Amino acid sequence: MEGLLQIKIIETQNNHFHYLPFSDPTYTAYIGLNLEFDTDKLRFGYTSLTKPSSTFEYDMKERTTQLLKQQEVLGEDFLTENYFSERVWATARDGKKVPISLVYHKDTKKSAETPLLIYGYGSYGHTIDASFSNVRLSLLNRGFIYAIAHIRGGEYMGREWYEDGKMLYKKNTFFDFIDAAQFLVKENYTSAKHLYAMGGSAGGLLMGAIINYEPNLFNAIVAQVPFVDCLLYTSDAADDGESV
């Protein structure tokens, strides 16, 4: 549903169905290992920007959920309720709606003085889902807002989302990220003075493009192992040269 993963339960006797209820505005859910077929129990995994990775058991008959295991958060005085997450939509220059997942500490106020780190990848149809990171907590506890721009080139919104961000349409990846960043500035989540961007590998290619398109929009760029020498890569006869 608009990029969010859902788990649908179908009663084969009467074809009635329902969906597992998830309360977070942005999250990742997936089916776990279910080796027993003759059962009313379903194991599934769940994580969000504010909730550690967890394994649940769902009673499909009673429609009740039991937590079996949850990722332990070490080194931090962590409480889920101390953090908020959102999913907002930025309008790209061609009219497409680009989803952005955000997380921040409950004490962090949105303002022009608030530091914000926006992450992007946007290649190979790879989807950057909203999931928990204990490494990120240090940043959030120091007042940062963390954002994931689900730009074209990834497959967050389906196959067309990927096809519309590759080869001759690759600029959509760059413009989606820029327009998402400008949206966050316009909506007073931050300002260009306190806006930071990060991406690695093909996301590093993205960083190289956006800093050239909009050198004044970001205060700093983190380009991790950036894939910026595309001509050399695609001209290597030993490499397939798959398009990002």
Side-chain angles (χ1 to χ4, degrees):
M1 182 179 66
E2 295 186 323
L4 293 179
L5 298 169
Q6 292 185 300
I7 298 177
K8 183 178 182 180
I9 309 298
I10 303 174
E11 300 176 43
T12 55
Q13 297 87 348
N14 51 30
N15 284 330
H16 291 169
F17 66 87
H18 66 278
Y19 292 93
L20 267 63
F22 302 125
S23 58
D24 291 291
T26 180
Y27 60 83
T28 301
Y30 52 92
I31 298 295
L33 188 62
N34 291 268
L35 298 178
E36 177 59 58
F37 296 149
D38 187 15
T39 179
D40 293 326
K41 306 294 196 303
L42 171 72
R43 289 195 177 184
F44 69 94
Y46 181 85
T47 181
S48 73
L49 292 171
T50 61
K51 292 184 176 67
S53 297
S54 305
T55 300
F56 291 92
E57 186 169 79
Y58 180 69
D59 189 315
M60 295 181 283
K61 191 173 182 179
E62 301 297 329
R63 300 193 183 186
T64 58
T65 303
Q66 178 185 2
L67 174 64
L68 300 181
K69 183 173 65 173
Q70 188 172 74
Q71 171 192 355
E72 187 177 2
V73 181
L74 300 175
E76 294 283 350
D77 186 16
F78 173 75
L79 292 173
T80 292
E81 54 266 30
N82 284 340
Y83 303 88
F84 292 146
S85 66
E86 296 181 49
R87 191 169 69 144
V88 296
W89 298 80
T91 303
R93 61 196 66 190
D94 65 351
K96 291 285 187 180
K97 297 292 185 179
V98 179
I100 309 170
S101 297
L102 301 113
V103 62
Y104 50 92
H105 194 278
K106 67 178 183 179
D107 295 332
T108 298
K109 307 299 181 185
K110 303 169 191 174
S111 74
E113 299 301 312
T114 302
L116 187 150
L117 175 62
I118 180 170
Y119 178 83
Y121 187 76
S123 293
Y124 302 115
H126 181 62
T127 297
I128 305 297
D129 289 314
S131 59
F132 185 80
S133 169
N134 55 2
V135 177
R136 190 187 302 140
L137 291 178
S138 176
L139 204 63
L140 303 183
N141 291 342
R142 286 180 285 153
F144 264 80
I145 297 175
Y146 182 82
I148 304 170
H150 303 287
I151 52 183
R152 280 173 282 183
E155 213 165 37
Y156 186 83
M157 298 287 286
R159 184 69 182 182
E160 184 182 352
W161 204 244
Y162 165 52
E163 298 289 348
D164 206 22
K166 62 179 290 192
M167 299 181 75
L168 296 178
Y169 302 103
K170 187 59 187 171
K171 283 186 178 181
N172 287 334
T173 301
F174 311 144
F175 295 153
D176 282 359
F177 192 89
I178 291 169
D179 295 341
Q182 290 175 334
F183 169 84
L184 293 173
V185 171
K186 181 182 177 182
E187 294 298 312
N188 203 40
Y189 283 87
T190 187
S191 63
K193 186 179 178 181
H194 296 281
L195 180 61
Y196 305 85
M198 182 169 69
S201 190
L205 164 68
L206 170 65
M207 296 300 106
I210 65 167
I211 198 60
N212 279 281
Y213 275 118
E214 293 289 345
N216 298 317
L217 179 58
F218 303 93
N219 191 36
I221 296 285
V222 182
Q224 301 166 308
V225 288
F227 170 39
V228 290
D229 195 348
C230 304
L231 182 61
L232 178 63
Y233 174 77
T234 54
S235 62
D236 187 350
D239 204 299
D240 292 336
E242 181 183 353
S243 170
V244 297

